[in-house]
Amino acid sequence: GEPQTLPLLYGDTEAGVVIIASKGGAPKHPGWYLNLEANPEVKLQVKADRYAARARLATAEERPRFWAQMAAMYPPFNDYQTKTSRQIPVVVLERVKG
């Protein structure tokens, strides 16, 4: 229930900001991802832009494209997926309007 500040690699997409819940390929999801499952409302800062956002999983259609984008930026994501039997979540953070 306490706010946390976490620096994460991100990608800009037409859907919003994309992040990967890899935890280095560990068998369990990272704590921050579990927190988003419990409460998807977040405060986000990307460079100097601060805003409210809502987290959601990438759709089945979006996921391959977003995964490829993020893995191109940070190739170890592909290695992390091979280390674990869980499907590593691809999370979209959509700006809340208003």
Side-chain angles (χ1 to χ4, degrees), residues 14-95:
E14 71 285 353
V17 173
V18 175
I19 55 177
I20 304 290
S22 67
K23 198 176 180 183
K28 295 184 179 181
H29 296 309
W32 64 260
Y33 175 77
L34 300 175
N35 288 343
L36 288 180
E37 283 187 318
N39 180 10
E41 305 300 324
V42 299
K43 292 179 183 171
L44 185 64
Q45 180 174 346
V46 177
K47 300 180 183 174
D49 190 12
R50 294 179 185 214
Y51 56 94
R54 182 171 180 85
R56 66 170 177 83
L57 284 175
T59 66
E61 181 180 279
E62 293 170 324
R63 189 181 195 289
R65 183 169 32 105
F66 294 163
W67 182 272
Q69 175 186 344
M70 296 300 290
M73 178 177 46
Y74 187 69
F77 282 137
N78 289 322
D79 297 331
Y80 298 162
Q81 185 59 79
T82 64
K83 290 181 178 181
T84 184
S85 60
R86 69 183 172 93
Q87 183 179 53
I88 294 175
V90 176
V91 179
V92 179
L93 302 171
E94 297 176 318
R95 185 183 293 263

